[in-house]
Amino acid sequence: MGVTCNNGSSKFFRRQILTLPVSEIVELSNKLDKDARALKKDILQICWYMRGMDYTAAMHLSTEERKIIGDIIKSNLETTKTSGLPFF
């Protein structure tokens, strides 16, 4: 989350968790882990569908760019279904 940021967000994050009870820190940690896994899954799916985009490049995509690519993938899948042409 704020670990690699240089804009002060890591300091804010540390201050935030210092005031939380342990149970909420564990809950937040679990949520962040779940979010990170979901992001990795989305990135790897993009890499698979885009065939040629490597993982490092895909990790640098913004949220908006990932959504746009996801829309393109969905559109291509729908076109493939309606046309009957092979996708793979």
Side-chain angles (χ1 to χ4, degrees):
M1 178 165 173
V3 177
T4 59
C5 294
N6 294 322
N7 63 3
S9 63
S10 64
K11 289 182 182 179
F12 172 76
F13 179 73
R14 279 183 250 150
R15 274 191 234 133
Q16 179 186 7
I17 63 170
L18 282 174
T19 60
L20 293 175
V22 174
S23 62
E24 288 184 33
I25 293 172
V26 169
E27 184 179 316
L28 178 60
S29 175
N30 290 338
K31 181 192 177 307
L32 293 174
D33 185 53
K34 182 179 176 184
D35 291 348
R37 287 175 188 267
L39 176 61
K40 288 177 186 177
K41 181 181 178 195
D42 289 345
I43 294 296
L44 289 168
Q45 282 182 322
I46 287 171
C47 290
W48 189 87
Y49 281 110
M50 299 302 286
R51 294 183 183 94
M53 177 177 283
D54 66 36
Y55 185 74
T56 302
M59 285 298 284
H60 287 90
L61 295 171
S62 69
T63 302
E64 183 177 351
E65 291 167 329
R66 286 193 316 273
K67 287 180 182 177
I68 291 168
I69 290 172
D71 291 341
I72 292 169
I73 290 168
K74 285 179 187 175
S75 174
N76 289 345
L77 287 172
E78 288 300 317
T79 300
T80 301
K81 286 178 186 176
T82 57
S83 70
L85 294 172
F87 179 73
F88 302 100

